[in-house]
Amino acid sequence: MSQETLSKIDESHINEISSSRNEPDWLKDYRKDSLSIYSTLPIEMSPLYNKYTDAKRLNPEKISIASSTKDTIPDFLQKRLGELENEICIIQIGTNIHKINLPDDLKSQGLVVSSISDAIQNNPELVKKALEASNSNDDKFTALNNAAFNSGVFIHIPKNFILEKPIHFLSCLSDDGLSTISRNVIFADESSKAFIVQELYSPKTETQQAYLELLNTNVAANAELSLTTLQMMDQNSVNFSTRRTDLAQDATVNWYSGLFGSVLSRYKIDYYLNGTGASSNESEVVFGNNDQHFDIQTNMNHQSPATEARVVEKSILKNRSKSLFKGMIRIKENAAKSNSFLSGRSILLDKNAKSDAIPGLEILTNDVKATHSASVAQIDEEQIFYLKSRCLSHEEAERTIVEGFLEPLSRKMSFQVRAWIAYLIESKWENRELTINTDEELAKFVEIEETRYNEDAEIEQHYKYR
C-alpha cells in the first residue's frame, strides 16, 4: 500500500486503487478522465464566491491518502457502535467497511446495503448511472472524488418498499492520519419510503485529515426519502461533501443537516427537481466556535412544472468562527407553477465571529413563486439585559436566545432529530465530546421533544371549534 499526499496524486495512484479492487475497464477510464480534469480546475469555480471562501485552508501537502487505511475502531466510538448492534447499519472506518447489519428478511425483500466496491460488481448499472450524473467539470472536488475514491457506501431501497426503521450510515476517519475519499450512492425506487441517518466522526489528530465525500441520491417517482446528516468531527479535521439529489415525478426528499465539527466544512448541495410535482426540503443548522469555518452552497434546480423546494440555513457562531452561505434558485423555462424558498440567517455571539450570505435567483419563466433572503446580526444586548433581569446568567440568556432562533426551524423536524441537534448544541456549549450516544442527557432531550406541542394539531383544533 503506497501513501501519497493530495498534492502529488497521479495516475499511478489511481491505477493502484483500481487494481486493488479489480475494477472494470470503464471505471478505470472514468477515473483517469476525472483526474485530468481535477488538475485543471480552481478550488472555487465562481469568481464571486472565490472572494469569500476559506476552502484554501485545506492543505494538499498535509492530506495523505492511500488505497486502504487501518480499520481499528477508536475508543470513543465503542459505545455508539454497541448501540447500533441491533439496528440496520453500515459502519465505515477509514476506507474499510467494518460492519454491515442487515436482517435476512429485509435482504429477501430486495433492500441492499453494501460497500461501493461490492455494488460495482453486483449493481454495475446503478453505480454507473450515479457516476455519470456527476460531471467532473462542475467542481474540483467532484473531479477528485470521481478520480480517487478509495471507499464508499451503496444503498438501494426497492420498489414499493416501506422501511419503518432507520438505516444508520456511520463514517469515522481512521486513526493512522490517512484521509478517506468516499463515493456514496443512494437509490430509492418507485413508491418506496425510507429514513437514513448519516453520522460523521474523526479521532483526535495533530495533522490535517479529511473526509471527502461525493454523495449521489436518486429518488424515483412517488418515493419519499428522509435523511439526517450529523457532522461531529474533530476540529483538526476537514470535511468536504458534494451532494447531488435527483427527484422524479412526485418524489419527496426531506434532508436535515447538523454541522458541528471539523475546522473546515465545505458542503456543495444540488437538488434537481426533474419530475412534475417533485418536492425537496433542506434544513441546515450550523454551530461554530474557535476557528471553525463553514462554507455551504445549496442550489435548487427546477426542471419541471409544479415543483417545490425549500432551503433554510441557520448559523450560530462564537469566538472567531465563520460561515459562508451561498445559494441559487434556478427555475427553467418549462417549470411554470413552481414554488421555491431560500433563506440563510446567522446570529453572532462574539465580535470576532463573521458570516456572509450570497443568495441568488435565476427565473426563466412566468407564473412561479420564488423568494430568497439572508440576514446576519449580533446577538441583541437588550434581549440579554431583559433575560438577565429575570435571573438568568449571561450564558443562560444567550442559550435561550439561540433556542428561540432555532425554534421555527426545529418544528419541521421529527422529535428524534430535534433531540439529537439540541443535544449536540448543548454538548458544544459545555465543551463535551460530540457524539450521539444514548446517555441520560440525550434521553432527557428525547423526552422533552416527544412531548412538545404539535403545531399542526393546535391549528386543526382551532378550526374545529370555531
Side-chain angles (χ1 to χ4, degrees):
M1 177 191 72
S2 63
Q3 181 176 322
E4 195 57 86
T5 61
L6 195 56
S7 61
K8 297 179 180 178
I9 189 172
D10 56 19
E11 195 169 309
S12 64
H13 180 81
I14 302 304
N15 288 334
E16 181 181 339
I17 295 173
S18 287
S19 300
S20 66
R21 290 160 173 75
N22 194 27
E23 292 178 346
D25 290 340
W26 67 264
L27 183 50
K28 294 177 182 178
D29 294 338
Y30 180 84
R31 285 182 180 273
K32 291 175 184 177
D33 291 343
S34 297
L35 180 64
S36 65
I37 295 170
Y38 165 71
S39 60
T40 66
L41 296 179
I43 286 180
E44 180 57 73
M45 299 289 286
S46 167
L48 173 62
Y49 296 160
N50 192 55
K51 176 182 176 181
Y52 297 93
T53 185
D54 274 353
K56 294 175 183 177
R57 291 177 66 183
L58 182 145
N59 188 343
E61 299 286 344
K62 294 183 178 180
I63 300 294
S64 297
I65 56 175
S67 59
S68 61
T69 65
K70 289 172 62 177
D71 61 356
T72 307
I73 299 172
D75 290 340
F76 74 91
L77 264 189
Q78 296 286 354
K79 181 178 178 182
R80 181 59 182 154
L81 294 189
E83 293 175 350
L84 296 177
E85 191 70 32
N86 297 317
E87 302 290 337
I88 306 168
C89 66
I90 181 165
I91 311 298
Q92 180 188 43
I93 306 295
T95 62
N96 305 282
I97 300 301
H98 168 74
K99 180 181 180 180
I100 298 174
N101 189 19
L102 181 61
D104 290 338
D105 63 321
L106 297 181
K107 280 185 188 177
S108 65
Q109 295 178 66
L111 180 63
V112 178
V113 179
S114 76
S115 69
I116 195 68
S117 296
D118 287 344
I120 290 167
Q121 305 301 324
N122 301 326
N123 302 88
E125 293 305 316
L126 288 180
V127 174
K128 194 171 183 180
K129 181 179 179 181
L131 293 179
E132 290 174 347
S134 292
N135 187 346
S136 294
N137 289 291
D138 286 347
D139 179 70
K140 187 177 185 70
F141 295 97
T142 298
L144 171 64
N145 197 296
N146 285 335
F149 67 89
N150 53 16
S151 186
V153 167
F154 178 84
I155 298 173
H156 180 214
I157 299 116
K159 185 176 180 179
N160 297 324
F161 185 78
I162 297 178
L163 187 61
E164 301 296 340
K165 297 183 68 176
I167 300 172
H168 292 268
F169 165 23
L170 186 150
S171 298
C172 182
L173 291 173
S174 56
D175 62 4
D176 53 10
L178 294 174
S179 297
T180 299
I181 303 179
S182 190
R183 193 68 167 83
N184 303 324
V185 176
I186 300 170
F187 274 91
D189 232 325
E190 290 182 22
S191 302
S192 62
K193 184 177 181 180
F195 174 32
I196 297 172
V197 180
Q198 181 187 32
E199 302 173 38
L200 301 177
Y201 298 95
S202 68
K204 294 188 182 299
T205 177
E206 298 300 321
T207 60
Q208 199 174 84
Q209 191 177 7
Y211 184 80
L212 308 176
E213 173 193 43
L214 180 54
L215 171 57
N216 278 88
T217 305
N218 193 291
V219 188
N222 299 301
E224 181 178 342
L225 192 60
S226 296
L227 304 101
T228 298
T229 296
L230 300 173
Q231 193 266 84
M232 301 164 278
M233 298 168 66
D234 180 70
Q235 287 196 19
N236 282 327
S237 61
V238 172
N239 174 213
F240 278 28
S241 179
T242 304
R243 301 191 326 215
R244 175 182 172 126
T245 301
D246 286 273
L247 295 96
Q249 182 175 341
D250 294 323
T252 301
V253 166
N254 294 296
W255 205 315
Y256 305 105
S257 298
L259 307 182
F260 300 94
S262 85
V263 68
L264 173 62
S265 296
R266 179 186 186 265
Y267 276 65
K268 183 177 181 293
I269 301 164
D270 285 283
Y271 286 98
Y272 287 85
L273 297 109
N274 301 320
T276 302
S279 172
S280 68
N281 174 45
E282 170 90 17
S283 299
E284 302 157 1
V285 176
V286 172
F287 190 172
N289 64 357
N290 301 326
D291 198 31
Q292 288 183 286
H293 181 88
F294 298 88
D295 183 336
I296 316 295
Q297 179 179 347
T298 307
N299 303 317
M300 298 103 82
N301 300 281
H302 296 261
Q303 314 273 54
S304 293
T307 51
E308 293 193 10
R310 176 182 179 274
V311 173
V312 178
E313 182 266 355
K314 293 202 172 186
S315 299
I316 307 116
L317 301 170
K318 295 182 67 179
N319 310 124
R320 301 174 309 282
S321 59
K322 296 169 64 178
S323 75
L324 170 60
F325 174 68
K326 306 166 290 186
M328 181 65 71
I329 296 171
R330 294 188 180 94
I331 302 182
K332 296 297 181 70
E333 292 90 338
N334 61 338
K337 300 190 183 301
S338 291
N339 188 351
S340 204
F341 178 76
L342 174 69
S343 172
R345 303 188 184 281
S346 298
I347 187 168
L348 310 181
L349 303 184
D350 288 293
K351 291 183 179 179
N352 292 323
K354 183 181 178 182
S355 179
D356 293 296
I358 314 172
L361 295 171
E362 289 182 8
I363 312 297
L364 303 179
T365 190
N366 298 316
D367 194 15
V368 300
K369 292 181 180 179
T371 306
H372 71 306
S373 64
S375 66
V376 179
Q378 296 278 349
I379 198 163
D380 191 328
E381 291 299 330
E382 288 190 5
Q383 292 179 352
I384 293 286
F385 177 80
Y386 174 79
L387 291 171
K388 288 172 74 173
S389 73
R390 294 297 183 266
C391 300
L392 272 67
S393 67
H394 187 89
E395 184 174 305
E396 289 171 337
E398 280 190 340
R399 289 194 195 187
T400 301
I401 293 168
V402 166
E403 287 173 5
F405 176 65
L406 295 177
E407 173 69 15
L409 180 62
S410 67
R411 289 184 186 181
K412 300 290 183 182
M413 305 174 183
S414 69
F415 77 85
Q416 180 64 78
V417 174
R418 289 200 306 263
W420 282 334
I421 288 178
Y423 176 71
L424 289 169
I425 289 173
E426 182 81 8
S427 297
K428 256 199 134 160
W429 280 111
E430 302 289 344
N431 291 315
R432 297 199 304 260
E433 191 173 71
L434 294 178
T435 63
I436 54 171
N437 296 328
T438 310
D439 57 11
E440 290 183 5
E441 286 297 315
L442 180 54
K444 291 177 186 175
F445 281 101
V446 172
E447 184 179 355
I448 291 169
E449 297 300 339
E450 272 187 305
T451 56
R452 283 176 63 179
Y453 75 87
N454 183 317
E455 185 178 32
D456 292 335
E458 291 277 317
I459 293 171
E460 288 174 11
Q461 188 166 346
H462 169 76
Y463 283 108
K464 182 177 179 181
Y465 295 107
R466 281 186 66 178

